[in-house]
mmCIF file of all heavy atoms in Angstrom:
data_model
loop_
_atom_site.group_PDB
_atom_site.id
_atom_site.type_symbol
_atom_site.label_atom_id
_atom_site.label_comp_id
_atom_site.label_asym_id
_atom_site.label_seq_id
_atom_site.Cartn_x
_atom_site.Cartn_y
_atom_site.Cartn_z
ATOM 1 N N ARG A 264 14.936 16.176 8.739
ATOM 2 C CA ARG A 264 13.790 16.195 9.631
ATOM 3 C C ARG A 264 12.600 15.413 9.108
ATOM 4 O O ARG A 264 11.746 14.993 9.917
ATOM 5 C CB ARG A 264 13.409 17.669 9.786
ATOM 6 C CG ARG A 264 14.456 18.534 10.412
ATOM 7 C CD ARG A 264 13.936 19.818 11.017
ATOM 8 N NE ARG A 264 13.278 19.549 12.278
ATOM 9 C CZ ARG A 264 12.019 19.779 12.557
ATOM 10 N NH1 ARG A 264 11.239 20.383 11.622
ATOM 11 N NH2 ARG A 264 11.491 19.559 13.767
ATOM 12 N N GLY A 265 12.536 15.245 7.770
ATOM 13 C CA GLY A 265 11.403 14.464 7.205
ATOM 14 C C GLY A 265 11.774 13.059 6.803
ATOM 15 O O GLY A 265 10.907 12.378 6.259
ATOM 16 N N TYR A 266 12.942 12.648 7.060
ATOM 17 C CA TYR A 266 13.428 11.307 6.712
ATOM 18 C C TYR A 266 13.193 10.961 5.246
ATOM 19 O O TYR A 266 12.954 9.848 4.831
ATOM 20 C CB TYR A 266 12.660 10.248 7.521
ATOM 21 C CG TYR A 266 12.787 10.421 9.055
ATOM 22 C CD1 TYR A 266 11.656 10.483 9.788
ATOM 23 C CD2 TYR A 266 14.009 10.535 9.607
ATOM 24 C CE1 TYR A 266 11.739 10.604 11.208
ATOM 25 C CE2 TYR A 266 14.142 10.669 11.025
ATOM 26 C CZ TYR A 266 12.965 10.723 11.791
ATOM 27 O OH TYR A 266 13.104 10.849 13.146
ATOM 28 N N GLY A 267 13.344 11.993 4.377
ATOM 29 C CA GLY A 267 12.957 11.809 2.991
ATOM 30 C C GLY A 267 14.144 11.154 2.195
ATOM 31 O O GLY A 267 15.299 11.436 2.357
ATOM 32 N N THR A 268 13.740 10.203 1.361
ATOM 33 C CA THR A 268 14.644 9.689 0.346
ATOM 34 C C THR A 268 14.327 10.500 -0.951
ATOM 35 O O THR A 268 13.258 10.332 -1.495
ATOM 36 C CB THR A 268 14.400 8.172 0.026
ATOM 37 O OG1 THR A 268 14.741 7.446 1.277
ATOM 38 C CG2 THR A 268 15.248 7.686 -1.071
ATOM 39 N N LEU A 269 15.286 11.363 -1.295
ATOM 40 C CA LEU A 269 14.943 12.324 -2.401
ATOM 41 C C LEU A 269 15.092 11.674 -3.738
ATOM 42 O O LEU A 269 16.058 11.000 -4.038
ATOM 43 C CB LEU A 269 15.925 13.482 -2.307
ATOM 44 C CG LEU A 269 15.856 14.325 -1.008
ATOM 45 C CD1 LEU A 269 16.746 15.515 -1.093
ATOM 46 C CD2 LEU A 269 14.457 14.702 -0.580
ATOM 47 N N VAL A 270 14.072 11.940 -4.583
ATOM 48 C CA VAL A 270 14.116 11.609 -5.997
ATOM 49 C C VAL A 270 13.970 12.981 -6.699
ATOM 50 O O VAL A 270 12.956 13.606 -6.717
ATOM 51 C CB VAL A 270 12.950 10.703 -6.392
ATOM 52 C CG1 VAL A 270 12.994 10.418 -7.913
ATOM 53 C CG2 VAL A 270 12.950 9.414 -5.596
ATOM 54 N N SER A 271 15.084 13.366 -7.346
ATOM 55 C CA SER A 271 15.171 14.721 -7.841
ATOM 56 C C SER A 271 14.537 14.821 -9.260
ATOM 57 O O SER A 271 14.664 13.869 -10.046
ATOM 58 C CB SER A 271 16.624 15.182 -7.996
ATOM 59 O OG SER A 271 17.255 15.226 -6.721
ATOM 60 N N TYR A 272 13.902 15.910 -9.500
ATOM 61 C CA TYR A 272 13.372 16.205 -10.864
ATOM 62 C C TYR A 272 14.008 17.460 -11.378
ATOM 63 O O TYR A 272 14.243 18.371 -10.593
ATOM 64 C CB TYR A 272 11.881 16.261 -10.922
ATOM 65 C CG TYR A 272 11.215 17.337 -10.099
ATOM 66 C CD1 TYR A 272 10.994 18.657 -10.603
ATOM 67 C CD2 TYR A 272 10.729 17.010 -8.808
ATOM 68 C CE1 TYR A 272 10.334 19.592 -9.845
ATOM 69 C CE2 TYR A 272 10.073 18.030 -8.022
ATOM 70 C CZ TYR A 272 9.884 19.315 -8.565
ATOM 71 O OH TYR A 272 9.306 20.227 -7.812
ATOM 72 N N ASN A 273 14.344 17.419 -12.682
ATOM 73 C CA ASN A 273 14.996 18.610 -13.236
ATOM 74 C C ASN A 273 13.996 19.757 -13.419
ATOM 75 O O ASN A 273 12.744 19.479 -13.446
ATOM 76 C CB ASN A 273 15.621 18.227 -14.605
ATOM 77 C CG ASN A 273 16.816 19.106 -14.905
ATOM 78 O OD1 ASN A 273 17.092 20.033 -14.206
ATOM 79 N ND2 ASN A 273 17.464 18.810 -16.012
ATOM 80 N N VAL A 274 14.460 20.963 -13.525
ATOM 81 C CA VAL A 274 13.572 22.057 -13.617
ATOM 82 C C VAL A 274 13.521 22.575 -15.080
ATOM 83 O O VAL A 274 14.440 22.324 -15.820
ATOM 84 C CB VAL A 274 13.998 23.197 -12.689
ATOM 85 C CG1 VAL A 274 13.990 22.753 -11.240
ATOM 86 C CG2 VAL A 274 15.379 23.701 -13.054
ATOM 87 N N PRO A 275 12.457 23.199 -15.498
ATOM 88 C CA PRO A 275 12.319 23.678 -16.860
ATOM 89 C C PRO A 275 13.355 24.749 -17.115
ATOM 90 O O PRO A 275 13.903 25.390 -16.182
ATOM 91 C CB PRO A 275 10.910 24.323 -16.911
ATOM 92 C CG PRO A 275 10.177 23.734 -15.758
ATOM 93 C CD PRO A 275 11.214 23.486 -14.704
ATOM 94 N N PRO A 276 13.796 24.897 -18.376
ATOM 95 C CA PRO A 276 14.865 25.910 -18.658
ATOM 96 C C PRO A 276 14.290 27.264 -18.521
ATOM 97 O O PRO A 276 13.078 27.554 -18.769
ATOM 98 C CB PRO A 276 15.176 25.605 -20.151
ATOM 99 C CG PRO A 276 13.955 24.930 -20.682
ATOM 100 C CD PRO A 276 13.434 24.127 -19.555
ATOM 101 N N TYR A 277 15.134 28.204 -18.102
ATOM 102 C CA TYR A 277 14.768 29.580 -17.929
ATOM 103 C C TYR A 277 15.290 30.407 -19.101
ATOM 104 O O TYR A 277 16.315 30.103 -19.653
ATOM 105 C CB TYR A 277 15.351 30.155 -16.629
ATOM 106 C CG TYR A 277 14.721 29.638 -15.348
ATOM 107 C CD1 TYR A 277 15.340 28.570 -14.685
ATOM 108 C CD2 TYR A 277 13.629 30.237 -14.772
ATOM 109 C CE1 TYR A 277 14.792 28.091 -13.539
ATOM 110 C CE2 TYR A 277 13.082 29.770 -13.630
ATOM 111 C CZ TYR A 277 13.685 28.691 -13.006
ATOM 112 O OH TYR A 277 13.122 28.227 -11.820
ATOM 113 N N GLY A 278 14.652 31.487 -19.417
ATOM 114 C CA GLY A 278 15.081 32.451 -20.424
ATOM 115 C C GLY A 278 14.652 33.799 -20.073
ATOM 116 O O GLY A 278 13.632 34.013 -19.435
#
Side-chain angles (χ1 to χ4, degrees):
R264 301 199 74 239
Y266 304 128
T268 296
L269 300 187
V270 178
S271 298
Y272 60 89
N273 208 354
V274 299
Y277 290 93

